Amino acid sequence: MGLIGAAKRLIMAKDFNVDSDKSNEGVPCDSVDVSLKEFLIPDYVLSRDAEFEKQSHVPACPVIVFVNSKSGGQLGGELLVSYQTLLNKNQVFDLKEKAPDKVLHQLFLNLEKLKHEGDSLASEIQKKLRIIVAGGDGTAGWILGVISDLNLTPPPPVATVPLGTGNNLPFAFGWGKKNPGTDFESVKMFLNQVKDAKEMKVDSWHVLMRMKVPRESGKSGDCDPIAPLELPHSLHAVHRISQPDALEEEGYHTFRGGFWNYFSMGMDAQVSYGFHTERKLHPEKFKNQAANQSAYAKLTCSQGWFWASLSHPSSWNIAQLSKVSIMKKPGQWEVLPIPPTIRSIICLNLPSFSGGLNPWGIPSRRRTRVKDWTPPYVDDGFLEIVGFRNAWHGAVLYAPSGHGTRLAQARGIRFEFHKGAADHTFMRMDGEPWKQPLPKKEDTVTIEISRFGQVSMLASGNYPAKSVNDPLTPRTPRDGDDSDEESVEEVSEERKKFGAASSFQLPEDFHISQVS
């Protein structure tokens, strides 16, 4: 950051009564601005090896902070320094250095031991704990998956700092979509917002994929993603651990993962894949949010999606690629007719896609009644399923009442791919795209999406996400926009976890910059 950056930090440290010479050792409560005491966690709670110090003050909003230091160009690194200086550095973690599953597992283990020993402070910290995640949607999804897998009690709610390109999760809950300030004043302001934020439940969606993989492409007994597949880190191979599986004996593998915002397939995922591939090859070209968004727009133009009917074969249309079924009632599947011109399909849980746009929009009262739709809530157990014909169709989202082709609301969706004209397609989950191979022989690729519990998010300010359980936030359809538009199941063993913790046993050559 240079001499100027260092000088600024020294001046700001004085403004906040922080001893800059000891900033790397964490900040004791009596040496900081009084309000920062409300967020601090003492060392002995964070580590059993730390010396016990009796604390009289109970923080109102103890936080654990995870920062993707490679997100947002240099902003991630600057934000990491600011949080570590203002708080106890041992409660702020660089995801490049520390895996979140290990951090949270150890923390909750310490808290349970201290509670058993009669420590009332540990009990209060566990009740009030909040998580801050600074990074893109992929980073936030990683943390949410770990919280789901570890079954933390109570599960700490999560606030997201927008450091990525799309920042759909932060926008949906009122944290904005522009990169935040990294100076001390901005960080302190964000901390106070976290303290005052409202907790909301959000549906979690489980993805289960079955596909045939050449036996020679993976090691025996290995459950990591199998080369040469380019699957995202949130979707990984698992062994079937339930009843005997005939498909597995035929060479089929099971992959699973999860999402909270969206799953998409088609042209939007292809553009995203091109962007991530280019960023991986030339990271020096993607140093800030503005440059990233500009590169994204250029890719959309260069790949021909504005003139899709001329530039791309009809075999890329969703109806030609896959048979799509939806579940409107638990256990009851029905085929979903897809208009023949649809080239992209989005399964949306939150009203935020492609940088804060809402593909579902707000249907008229008449259409809602005729289609038997409900308002799109984030915790009602339904996905909103939307289709797009081309990039021009997607551009209408920038209009006040713009929306895609509303296809359905469903409790689950299933894609079945058989041998066809295309040998691959593109998919994306919460900002992570991949190139999905399709069957070349008489095989089948099946992807099934179903609801899997809920997580807790923190919402601040004026946010578009709406809860079915909050009487203050219900959103009813309004007139206008009347244009034409085309029982509890038994949970099997392979669906009992997202697997986020095990999926992030990262390979040695992995760089955190690969996660948005």
Side-chain angles (χ1 to χ4, degrees), residues 83-288:
Y83 272 107
Q84 287 182 333
T85 304
L86 289 174
L87 301 176
N88 181 343
K89 79 160 191 176
N90 293 319
Q91 69 188 99
V92 181
F93 300 91
D94 184 353
L95 288 169
K96 185 180 66 175
E97 307 292 339
K98 292 279 189 177
D101 55 308
K102 293 183 174 62
V103 170
L104 293 175
H105 180 271
Q106 187 60 55
L107 172 62
F108 274 74
L109 186 63
N110 292 344
L111 289 169
E112 289 296 335
K113 289 180 178 179
L114 290 169
K115 284 166 55 182
H116 183 72
E117 296 168 1
D119 190 318
S120 58
L121 177 61
S123 180
E124 289 300 312
I125 287 176
Q126 189 167 356
K127 288 179 186 176
K128 298 177 179 180
L129 183 67
R130 297 189 162 193
I131 305 290
I132 296 174
V133 183
D137 289 332
T139 303
W142 176 7
I143 304 301
L144 290 172
V146 167
I147 292 173
S148 297
D149 280 356
L150 293 180
N151 293 318
L152 303 179
T153 305
V158 176
T160 52
V161 182
L163 282 183
T165 302
N167 297 318
N168 293 292
L169 271 167
F171 179 78
F173 296 98
W175 302 106
K177 53 186 176 181
K178 294 183 179 179
N179 290 155
T182 60
D183 56 90
F184 288 176
E185 184 177 355
S186 297
V187 169
K188 186 180 176 187
M189 186 181 301
F190 189 88
L191 285 168
N192 284 323
Q193 285 181 292
V194 170
K195 180 167 65 72
D196 298 332
K198 173 185 173 182
E199 187 172 339
M200 291 182 67
K201 293 294 183 182
V202 180
D203 290 330
S204 302
W205 293 90
H206 187 268
V207 178
L208 195 65
M209 179 169 72
R210 313 258 10 235
M211 63 178 294
K212 204 165 187 178
V213 178
R215 293 183 183 277
E216 63 271 18
S217 65
K219 299 178 181 178
S220 176
D222 189 1
C223 279
D224 292 331
I226 300 172
L229 300 180
E230 300 179 61
L231 298 180
H233 294 91
S234 58
L235 190 66
H236 64 284
V238 295
H239 284 308
R240 298 275 290 187
I241 54 177
S242 53
Q243 69 277 9
D245 184 2
L247 284 179
E248 188 172 277
E249 295 177 1
E250 296 177 9
Y252 281 81
H253 284 70
T254 301
F255 301 82
R256 70 175 176 207
F259 67 92
W260 290 266
N261 193 352
Y262 65 86
F263 171 94
S264 68
M265 177 173 68
M267 63 179 182
D268 70 286
Q270 181 179 351
V271 174
S272 180
Y273 179 81
F275 171 82
H276 280 258
T277 300
E278 185 70 13
R279 184 171 64 175
K280 187 176 179 180
L281 292 173
H282 305 286
E284 71 281 358
K285 297 181 180 179
F286 301 85
K287 293 184 177 181
N288 58 66

